[in-house]
Amino acid sequence: MAMSTTSLARGALAVLLLSTLLTLCVPAEAATYYFSNDGDDDNDGLSEATAKQHPSLQSIRSDDVFRLRRGDTFREMISGGPGTQNAYRNNVVFEAYGTGPKPILSGSVVIEGWENRGGNIWAASVALPLDGGSGQCGNDAGPTDNSIINLFIDGEFAYIAREPNVGSFYRSRATDGLNTVRSASFEDKPNDYYSGAGVRIRTWSWHWQNGIVDSSSGDTLSLTGNLDSDGAWHLHDDWGLYVDNKVEFLDQEGEWYHDTVADEILIYSTTNPSNKLIEGMYSGFTHGICLFWSRGHRVHDIHFKHHASYGVNLWLVEDVIVTNVDQEWSAGTGFAIAWVHSVGGDWGPSNLIVENNTFSNNLDHGGSANAPGSNTDWGTSVIRGNSFINSGVIAGYGREPYAGGSHNIGFRNNGGGGGPALKIEGNIFDGSGRTLIALEGPADFSNNVLRNSCLTHNDCSAIVFNDSDLIVRGNIIRDTFGEMEASGLNSDSENRALPRFSWGMRSHLGNQRAIIENNIIFDNQAEGMLVEGTDEHQIRNNIWFNNGNPERGRRQLALEGSTDTVVTGNYFISEEEGVYSGVSSNSVSSQTFDQNVYCHSLLGTENIFEEEGELFTLAEWQASSNQDGNSAGCPGSGGSLSFELLVNDELDGNFCWSISGDFYDLTDDGALPAQVVLGPVSALLAYQVGGGGSVTRTSCDGAPLPTPPPSPTPTPTPTPTPTTPEPCVPGEWTSWSSCSVACGPGGQQERTRLAESGSCTSSELREVSSGCNAEDCVCDSPPCATDCVLSLFSDWTVCRCDTNLSHRYRDVVQEPTNGGAACPTESELSESRTCTSDEECVDPNLASSSSTRIEGKWVVLVMVLLSLCLSAVLR
């Protein structure tokens, strides 16, 4: 039987489809694309002259190069996360071109068009570019509320309208459970005054928690959910808290509020904000760049800022290099390595290089490396030469808004253990709300500088050890703080507040075999190190100077419940009254001490050791313990003794000192020359006997040292100059506006009034009626009419020989409501036509089975080739 013309036509169509598929399956060649603010996305982007405008709109292919013009700001994100067209691409380069400052990839939108709403309240509409949560990267979806979550005024962080204002806190009352917060400061407010507000509360020394208020009554706020149980099991008296994110709190310079009903940002400003750059961090721009399940990328010379979760986010990647990047002000983490590959999988070791970057002012973590499996292989991965500045130093902020507790950590190395340790070397960690570096997975932590930790927390440390076989070598560890302003009572039964205590290092809870050597640990609020419940630590050849305070941590090193610890070759030196120079231990019989130096400039070798609360001189300690047989006391031969610690705590360049008088190096008793030069990340502890000398920092060419700039030490709780607003005297209300919708539910009206005098808030000058039920509100929208909705006509059926007709049909998709246009009659839902003379008709009783079989072969062939095509594209 001959094949019908219909079958031949269908075969030709299949050939055409096959040809199209093969054309699509041939991958386009990789290219170098240029992007600039004055570019055009209709350009090819293959040269500077034909640059595109938006890198986020360009599909990424393996081996592509994306070049962003220096001096330009791109307000978007580049997403290669799962489910996007850019996932699984390899060897992609993101870099800058041209001259000038690095191009900025920003997660904020510019807010303009400010109008005065009376007094010091200004408002501007905000247009949000995308739906929130559109930037998922791996398992991290980020905020999903489609809003402005942080605001920046001329580059400075602005606080959400809060009560009380910045610089003070309300104090908590003890409460049971995790879903209420109590304070005497709430009692003078009417019921539900705080409904919808956010609450941020310090629930313990090392925890800030946040949540959303469902209702309020008397001294109690009831939350929409529970606080994080990990940090909220201590809800005692007198801990600091504040509430925010209500327009009623808008009363201090720079405070702001997002009115999501009117899509407006309101700020409190004594001057016209139109003259300032005001940027709102948009929740939909969750990260600056996400690279997922891929390898071989290079990211360099780009400035990331204002992203809602991460600046740079690497998920399941290997052989990636990130260099010379500036990143700042993410609501979560500046830089994240998430879920590195496993040993024995399809891929090899991670082999990541993160070098010479700056990550600053991130609200939760400066950076993190997450290797959750015990068989993870870091390979040659290294975090080197970076600066992590001011991580999580704003009290109550961190992670997603109102989503539980915050971390406030400089860098967190989490998990792993199947291969070489992660190398973290030659970095600066300066300023953190809590810990500067959390070593929770295998790490070689060497030649780093750590300063200014625990700025919004207490009972924490610059370094915390949470894994075994860690190496901490050659670091400078200084100036833990221990924030006490928001600290409260440590129990309800004991009316006792915790003292300030923050360690240089803390190793606890079963960690084993750490090596701590050649570090300089000084000026920390509690002990230089607390070793608690550990085994087999080697603590050797470190300098411990002026750690501890009289209230808590009166010694340089504390061993509590630890066994088989070896303490050798250390220098334990103190000049502080009420603090002694040495060590305390409650299990001396299982420790080893030898070849150490103990000295207090005021007490000599008195009180150098404490065992079970009893103090010993060095001689008494040696006699009673049979320990420290080769250890020594203060240097020199008597007379007054003073010390000078010379420190170069920068990553490059030499520091120089001019020496007058007789000073000696404590480590070898050698006399110091007239000029001492120290290279990066190094220190020298000098002493003199009898006084009269001086040590003066100079420039290294002999000229006087220039006046240093103001100290960069972070201020965790800035206190702006308070303003006392005059009472608001509003004018008359305008008439209600027309309803916001012509029909259906959800209508709103508003009315406004001007301020006659004084300082008025937005809520005093603008009233919105949701549902239009307020007095004199006339909005009464009728139900909206919906017309009949029909489907499209089907294709024409095959011509029938018995009727010489073919037909097509359509269906009713939606019936009309509320007076909408009616549907056609049943007969109008189909159409017929007479067959043409060249059209082959089909007898329904004699359908050809052979044509069906042939057409089926075409379908199978197309499906097989389509599958091969998709496989090629994914590769």
Side-chain angles (χ1 to χ4, degrees):
M1 181 183 295
M3 187 184 298
S4 68
T5 20
T6 301
S7 298
L8 289 172
R10 290 180 181 175
L13 179 61
V15 171
L16 178 61
L17 176 59
L18 177 60
S19 174
T20 303
L21 286 173
L22 291 175
T23 300
L24 292 175
C25 283
V26 177
E29 292 184 2
T32 297
Y33 293 102
Y34 294 81
F35 301 90
S36 66
N37 287 169
D38 54 9
D40 189 326
D41 291 319
D42 289 332
N43 291 341
D44 61 19
L46 299 180
S47 69
E48 295 181 28
T50 60
K52 292 178 175 288
Q53 185 175 20
H54 295 289
S56 62
L57 299 182
Q58 175 63 39
S59 298
I60 299 174
R61 296 161 302 186
S62 293
D63 303 308
D64 276 350
V65 177
F66 277 42
R67 290 180 174 169
L68 281 60
R69 190 171 67 183
R70 290 179 176 270
D72 286 356
T73 298
F74 302 86
R75 299 187 182 276
E76 51 196 300
M77 65 181 179
I78 298 176
S79 184
T84 72
Q85 62 182 350
N86 299 327
Y88 319 112
R89 305 302 193 236
N90 299 320
N91 307 314
V92 182
V93 177
F94 301 89
E95 61 186 13
Y97 76 92
T99 60
K102 296 172 185 174
I104 297 173
L105 199 58
S106 173
S108 62
V109 296
V110 176
I111 302 172
E112 299 174 309
W114 295 95
E115 298 178 355
N116 185 260
R117 292 291 172 82
N120 296 322
I121 304 298
W122 299 79
S125 60
V126 56
L128 301 180
L130 297 169
D131 291 334
S134 58
Q136 180 169 338
C137 186
N139 293 338
D140 298 319
T144 57
D145 57 350
N146 197 35
S147 64
I148 298 299
I149 59 175
N150 287 299
L151 198 77
F152 302 88
I153 301 176
D154 284 339
E156 297 295 323
F157 180 84
Y159 284 83
I160 301 173
R162 59 173 274 183
E163 176 188 302
N165 288 324
V166 173
S168 60
F169 299 101
Y170 289 155
R171 315 305 297 196
S172 68
R173 283 177 171 168
T175 183
D176 295 326
L178 302 176
N179 62 350
T180 58
V181 172
R182 298 175 61 225
S183 174
S185 300
F186 304 148
E187 291 179 329
D188 62 344
K189 299 298 193 298
N191 288 348
D192 291 332
Y193 174 79
Y194 292 106
S195 294
V199 60
R200 304 178 195 258
I201 178 173
R202 186 169 174 179
T203 56
W204 194 239
S205 290
W206 60 83
H207 275 288
W208 275 89
Q209 300 277 306
N210 51 59
I212 298 175
V213 180
D214 181 58
S215 62
S216 62
S217 177
D219 73 345
T220 302
L221 308 181
S222 298
L223 308 182
T224 58
N226 289 343
L227 296 174
D228 186 347
S229 60
D230 180 50
W233 38 272
H234 300 286
L235 290 175
H236 300 309
D237 285 333
D238 211 34
W239 292 90
L241 66 94
Y242 60 95
V243 285
D244 64 6
N245 201 32
K246 279 186 77 73
V247 70
E248 289 83 358
F249 306 156
L250 199 61
D251 62 359
Q252 189 171 42
E253 185 72 31
E255 286 188 338
W256 66 280
Y257 172 75
H258 185 189
D259 184 341
T260 55
V261 174
D263 284 331
E264 286 185 334
I265 299 294
L266 300 117
I267 65 171
Y268 187 99
S269 177
T270 55
T271 60
N272 189 339
S274 298
N275 300 320
K276 302 174 181 179
L277 174 62
I278 299 182
E279 301 168 284
M281 180 188 290
Y282 169 52
S283 63
F285 290 154
T286 53
H287 49 261
I289 188 168
C290 165
L291 302 174
F292 179 77
W293 209 314
S294 49
R295 57 170 67 116
H297 305 300
R298 304 293 182 265
V299 181
H300 62 97
D301 296 296
I302 296 177
H303 183 172
F304 299 89
K305 71 175 185 178
H306 298 173
H307 291 95
S309 290
Y310 298 89
V312 178
N313 198 1
L314 307 180
W315 266 83
L316 287 167
V317 299
E318 68 175 44
D319 296 319
V320 171
I321 299 176
V322 180
T323 59
N324 203 28
V325 159
D326 293 330
Q327 183 281 325
E328 61 177 331
W329 289 118
S330 82
T333 301
F335 168 80
I337 306 169
W339 293 81
V340 299
H341 284 281
S342 300
V343 177
D346 293 336
W347 290 26
S350 297
N351 298 341
L352 308 175
I353 298 175
V354 182
E355 188 171 29
N356 299 332
N357 307 286
T358 298
F359 306 102
S360 59
N361 295 309
N362 296 292
L363 296 184
D364 201 20
H365 290 91
S368 65
N370 181 26
S374 61
N375 61 341
T376 300
D377 189 348
W378 284 111
T380 59
S381 294
V382 62
I383 312 294
R384 179 173 54 217
N386 305 283
S387 295
F388 296 89
I389 309 298
N390 291 358
S391 304
V393 300
I394 299 180
Y397 283 74
R399 296 174 71 178
E400 298 174 24
Y402 313 111
S406 56
H407 298 109
N408 309 129
I409 294 173
F411 188 89
R412 188 174 194 174
N413 174 36
N414 182 24
L422 176 64
K423 291 184 180 297
I424 306 172
E425 58 186 31
N427 303 281
I428 285 181
F429 301 88
D430 190 353
S432 63
R434 189 165 44 157
T435 294
L436 279 168
I437 177 76
L439 300 178
E440 299 174 342
D444 182 344
F445 188 78
S446 302
N447 302 314
N448 301 281
V449 174
L450 299 93
R451 54 192 181 220
N452 301 313
S453 59
C454 304
L455 295 176
T456 62
H457 296 69
N458 189 34
D459 193 0
C460 58
S461 58
I463 307 178
V464 62
F465 296 57
N466 276 329
D467 198 30
S468 297
D469 300 303
L470 296 170
I471 298 173
V472 176
R473 175 188 294 125
N475 304 283
I476 294 175
I477 305 161
R478 59 179 299 182
D479 297 314
T480 57
F481 180 67
E483 198 280 332
M484 298 300 293
E485 184 179 0
S487 187
L489 302 183
N490 67 344
S491 73
D492 297 330
S493 58
E494 301 178 35
N495 189 22
R496 182 168 64 90
L498 292 167
R500 170 175 288 166
F501 58 106
S502 294
W503 303 275
M505 295 178 281
R506 184 181 186 186
S507 179
H508 66 121
L509 303 181
N511 301 325
Q512 297 178 322
R513 299 177 300 278
I515 296 175
I516 301 104
E517 63 181 1
N518 300 324
N519 302 285
I520 300 99
I521 309 104
F522 66 99
D523 289 348
N524 297 290
Q525 280 292 332
E527 295 94 345
M529 184 172 188
L530 172 63
V531 183
E532 181 181 25
T534 67
D535 299 311
E536 302 181 57
H537 282 15
Q538 299 277 333
I539 302 174
R540 59 201 186 203
N541 305 327
N542 305 283
I543 293 175
W544 311 79
F545 183 64
N546 283 347
N547 300 289
N549 68 75
E551 292 185 355
R552 171 66 187 258
R554 297 176 296 148
R555 56 266 173 168
Q556 306 298 305
L557 172 64
L559 308 178
E560 298 181 359
S562 299
T563 59
D564 299 319
T565 306
V566 177
V567 182
T568 60
N570 297 277
Y571 293 83
F572 297 104
I573 311 297
S574 181
E575 298 179 309
E576 301 285 334
E577 289 191 23
V579 177
Y580 52 90
S581 60
V583 181
S584 71
S585 176
N586 58 5
S587 57
V588 172
S589 61
S590 63
Q591 322 291 6
T592 300
F593 299 86
D594 204 9
Q595 297 181 332
N596 301 297
V597 172
Y598 303 92
C599 182
H600 196 295
S601 63
L602 303 177
L603 302 175
T605 59
E606 294 183 18
N607 299 343
I608 62 95
F609 209 96
E610 179 184 24
E611 181 184 10
E612 300 292 352
E614 182 179 358
L615 293 172
F616 297 85
T617 66
L618 178 56
E620 291 170 342
W621 164 244
Q622 289 171 323
S624 66
S625 67
N626 199 29
Q627 298 273 7
D628 271 321
N630 297 302
S631 295
C634 296
S637 57
S640 63
L641 188 67
S642 61
F643 295 91
E644 292 282 349
L645 182 63
L646 286 57
V647 179
N648 181 346
D649 58 356
E650 297 296 335
L651 298 183
D652 52 55
N654 294 330
F655 282 14
C656 295
W657 288 263
S658 175
I659 308 298
S660 173
D662 296 327
F663 278 88
Y664 301 88
D665 184 340
L666 180 63
T667 62
D668 61 10
D669 289 325
L672 298 188
Q675 186 185 50
V676 171
V677 180
L678 291 181
V681 194
S682 63
L684 184 154
L685 185 54
Y687 71 93
Q688 67 169 339
V689 180
S694 64
V695 176
T696 305
R697 171 83 189 278
T698 66
S699 65
C700 288
D701 59 4
L705 188 70
T707 302
S711 172
T713 301
T715 302
T717 312
T719 306
T721 303
T723 59
T724 304
E726 297 181 8
C728 173
V729 179
E732 296 295 324
W733 288 109
T734 63
S735 300
W736 287 100
S737 67
S738 58
C739 194
S740 60
V741 297
C743 62
Q748 292 182 333
Q749 292 176 279
E750 72 172 32
R751 59 181 181 178
T752 59
R753 54 185 175 181
L754 299 176
E756 299 288 347
S757 63
S759 178
C760 299
T761 66
S762 173
S763 62
E764 293 172 309
L765 300 178
R766 175 172 175 265
E767 185 177 5
V768 176
S769 170
S770 298
C772 301
N773 297 317
E775 181 182 357
D776 299 328
C777 182
V778 297
C779 179
D780 186 16
S781 304
C784 295
T786 58
D787 295 337
C788 175
V789 178
L790 301 176
S791 69
L792 297 176
F793 273 109
S794 65
D795 293 335
W796 289 102
T797 64
V798 176
C799 185
R800 292 174 60 99
C801 297
D802 56 345
T803 63
N804 199 35
L805 293 175
S806 66
H807 310 276
R808 64 178 184 176
Y809 306 91
R810 58 181 174 176
D811 298 313
V812 173
V813 176
Q814 177 179 294
E815 297 286 349
T817 62
N818 303 317
C823 294
T825 63
E826 187 69 27
S827 61
E828 294 173 316
L829 294 176
S830 63
E831 292 182 351
S832 302
R833 68 173 185 182
T834 303
C835 301
T836 60
S837 58
D838 59 349
E839 187 173 2
E840 181 182 358
C841 69
V842 175
D843 186 336
N845 297 317
L846 297 174
S848 171
S849 60
S850 62
S851 65
T852 302
R853 287 193 299 270
I854 294 172
E855 291 163 19
K857 292 177 182 178
W858 281 111
V859 171
V860 170
L861 179 59
V862 169
M863 293 301 294
V864 169
L865 288 172
L866 177 59
S867 175
L868 293 173
C869 167
L870 290 175
S871 298
V873 169
L874 287 177
R875 285 195 299 269

